[in-house]
Amino acid sequence: MSSSSASAVAVRTLAAAGLLFPAALAAPYAAAEAPAPQTVTVLNGDFADPVMKGDGPTTVALDSWDGRNQRYSPSASGRTDTAHGVALEKQGNSLSQRLRGVRTGAEVTVSYEDSPAVSKECNGSDVVDGQPYTVEGSGGSVQAVTTAGDPDRVKGTPGPGRWSKRTYTFVAGENEPLLTFASKVTDSKTHVTCTPMIARIRAVEVPVPLDRTVDKTALGTAEAYKGNERQTTLHNAAAACNGESACVFRPDMRMSFRYYDRARVVGEAFVNCTRNTLEHTRVVSFSERAYDSISQTYAAAGLPLNDVAKLPTSGDRTEDEKRIKERPMAGQFSLAYEKGWQRAWQWFGGEERTVVERIQPGEVSWIELQPSRERVEGWFLSKKDDYRLHAVIDGPSRGVPDRLLQRTGPMAEAEKQRCTAARPMTTTPVDAGAAAYSSDKGLLKVSAPAANRSVRATRTVPLG
């Protein structure tokens, strides 16, 4: 195996383990690992809910869709499968749904089937050349479509259903893009039920590549929805989760990953200005905290954080320990994480390590920490599935160990200057340059000499 092939295998292995960090995403591997198409959830895509009685048509609010339109049973729609047909009313009403989990920039392909109306109220002229409607996804163009024609229709007789397969592709211009079908039948003489029909809606996406370069302090804007309606604030969605089992957290595994954060210096740098090798032991302490996009969204808007939305990400250990016990959303997230990854989530962490340093003369020693972290993106969903709150949470990980780097290296210029500086001393104000003339051994008791007495030397000479 060539070195380039081995490197590619290594990158894929790291990616599969969720350990790929930004430096490993450089070309050419980023282009080679383009996201594959994935199925997008279209709720009630066969229009079967709520359960239908009879063959229709009935005007009904379809589960998970906005807009009241005419629904027919599969057999009355002229279909051979279990999908119901829905006729788009002509008064400007539409049929729409947000596509769950699709992010801005994803390429979405919607597949569905259409047919001219099967209503017995149709005149032959209403359907002979087909019927117009539009399909649109947020960020994409409005695609005008005309159904197949039905030239043999006679008023008073239901149509057979002439179903054609269609596709529509667009690039999402927002998160959870809105997919909308709208009738363009405008003839005032056309009966309300004689409008183009839609059935069996499915979707796939090519998601945007995961951006691992986003900093933990800027996790993006949290979003909230009630059904297909985007909420202007997060408060109602967060309040809906204010109970132990009021919401569940559903992680998006595609957008969740582990990584190593930027290295930072912990403790002090030790500068060896001596001519000898130094060896000493010291204790290094460090701590990590969690971050979340909900609190960052409130902060960016200049709004105080509502109590119900407070996750244990304040950075104050005492406050966060309190929030873990009191905030239901903290428990909902931790439970979902434990089920999904089979280990406990950590809102904060800390370590204390004993390090032995050996520093050569003229070198500096310091300790760097590269902490292991984990980022989880997903949704808080109310049990009634009416409120959805998107959130990104980033916290310390113990899935892989932290990196503690013991570093030594040459002094910086400022450190060299400090090491060559003279020893700080006070000056001698008088005769600073004169030689020392005595030795101070402390205070001694010395007898005082007699006043005005001259001292004369004497000697003894022996007599011969």
Side-chain angles (χ1 to χ4, degrees):
M1 181 182 296
S2 68
S3 60
S4 60
S5 299
S7 299
V9 171
V11 169
R12 286 194 291 271
T13 303
L14 285 170
L19 294 176
L20 206 58
F21 42 94
L25 293 178
Y29 305 119
E33 301 294 334
Q38 300 174 7
T39 300
V40 174
T41 299
V42 178
L43 301 177
N44 197 21
D46 288 338
F47 306 126
D49 297 317
V51 175
M52 185 175 184
K53 295 180 180 180
D55 287 332
T58 57
T59 302
V60 64
L62 299 166
D63 290 359
S64 304
W65 293 89
D66 287 345
R68 297 176 65 85
N69 296 279
Q70 303 289 324
R71 181 172 61 158
Y72 294 78
S73 70
S75 58
S77 301
R79 298 188 60 82
T80 57
D81 57 12
T82 58
H84 296 64
V86 170
L88 305 171
E89 291 190 1
K90 70 173 184 176
Q91 296 96 332
N93 196 15
S94 61
L95 182 69
S96 59
Q97 179 183 146
R98 289 196 178 275
L99 300 179
R100 269 57 166 179
V102 176
R103 312 305 293 160
T104 301
E107 184 181 81
V108 183
T109 299
V110 180
S111 61
Y112 64 98
E113 296 179 33
D114 67 11
S115 170
V118 298
S119 171
K120 64 182 181 180
E121 302 295 335
C122 290
N123 294 307
S125 59
D126 292 331
V127 294
V128 63
D129 295 321
Q131 294 183 294
Y133 68 95
T134 60
V135 57
E136 179 184 6
S138 302
S141 60
V142 178
Q143 181 170 299
V145 189
T146 300
T147 69
D150 191 356
D152 302 323
R153 292 289 294 281
V154 177
K155 186 173 182 178
T157 302
R162 298 181 180 274
W163 293 97
S164 303
K165 293 183 177 181
R166 308 284 186 179
T167 59
Y168 168 65
T169 300
F170 69 100
V171 175
E174 63 177 341
N175 296 331
E176 306 253 308
L178 191 67
L179 176 66
T180 304
F181 296 89
S183 170
K184 292 302 176 182
V185 173
T186 58
D187 191 340
S188 61
K189 297 179 181 179
T190 302
H191 192 274
V192 67
T193 62
C194 189
T195 48
M197 300 181 68
I198 303 296
R200 202 175 186 278
I201 301 176
R202 303 290 188 269
V204 295
E205 67 164 327
V206 177
V208 293
L210 178 59
D211 185 359
R212 299 172 189 264
T213 64
V214 175
D215 192 85
K216 60 184 180 294
T217 61
L219 296 173
T221 302
E223 299 171 323
Y225 300 85
K226 184 176 183 181
N228 295 313
E229 180 183 352
R230 186 190 296 274
Q231 301 288 284
T232 57
T233 70
L234 308 180
H235 178 72
N236 290 340
C241 295
N242 194 28
E244 184 176 351
S245 301
C247 286
V248 296
F249 184 81
R250 184 175 299 164
D252 185 345
M253 299 293 191
R254 305 171 307 168
M255 310 301 288
S256 303
F257 59 96
R258 294 198 300 267
Y259 69 101
Y260 281 112
D261 203 359
R262 295 185 182 92
R264 69 174 188 266
V265 176
V266 291
E268 296 80 18
F270 198 111
V271 182
N272 185 1
C273 291
T274 73
R275 296 181 175 85
N276 303 308
T277 299
L278 297 180
E279 186 172 294
H280 74 112
T281 301
R282 64 162 149 167
V283 176
V284 177
S285 300
F286 57 89
S287 61
E288 287 290 302
R289 54 166 289 195
Y291 298 81
D292 75 272
S293 63
I294 297 175
S295 61
Q296 290 174 7
T297 300
Y298 274 89
L303 298 173
L305 183 61
N306 290 316
D307 283 344
V308 293
K310 288 181 177 179
L311 292 172
T313 59
S314 71
D316 183 312
R317 182 67 173 259
T318 302
E319 171 65 17
D320 287 342
E321 287 176 342
K322 180 181 177 183
R323 290 184 184 184
I324 289 175
K325 298 176 182 178
E326 297 180 354
R327 296 273 74 84
M329 289 173 63
Q332 294 158 12
F333 175 83
S334 296
L335 180 61
Y337 179 86
E338 187 170 352
K339 287 182 177 179
W341 279 270
Q342 299 299 305
R343 61 175 179 271
W345 172 260
Q346 292 191 122
W347 292 102
F348 41 74
E351 294 287 346
E352 190 173 85
R353 305 280 180 85
T354 299
V355 178
V356 178
E357 294 178 296
R358 185 177 177 85
I359 314 168
Q360 299 298 325
E363 286 194 336
V364 183
S365 173
W366 70 97
I367 305 297
E368 289 181 5
L369 169 69
Q370 198 172 12
S372 167
R373 297 188 64 86
E374 200 147 0
R375 186 167 300 174
V376 179
E377 180 172 334
W379 298 87
F380 288 96
L381 304 173
S382 66
K383 284 297 182 70
K384 295 180 181 179
D385 198 29
D386 52 354
Y387 279 106
R388 309 191 306 283
L389 175 57
H390 179 265
V392 182
I393 298 173
D394 189 300
S397 173
R398 292 298 176 265
V400 292
D402 296 325
R403 288 171 171 167
L404 202 61
L405 291 79
Q406 185 173 344
R407 304 283 300 275
T408 60
M411 295 180 189
E413 192 60 37
E415 291 165 337
K416 291 179 181 177
Q417 292 175 6
R418 184 61 202 151
C419 282
T420 58
R423 177 165 57 93
M425 295 183 67
T426 58
T427 60
T428 303
V430 179
D431 291 334
Y437 67 92
S438 66
S439 176
D440 184 0
K441 296 294 186 180
L443 294 178
L444 301 177
K445 266 190 168 185
V446 180
S447 58
N452 300 322
R453 186 179 69 175
S454 60
V455 179
R456 184 177 296 175
T458 61
R459 63 175 178 166
T460 302
V461 179
L463 299 174

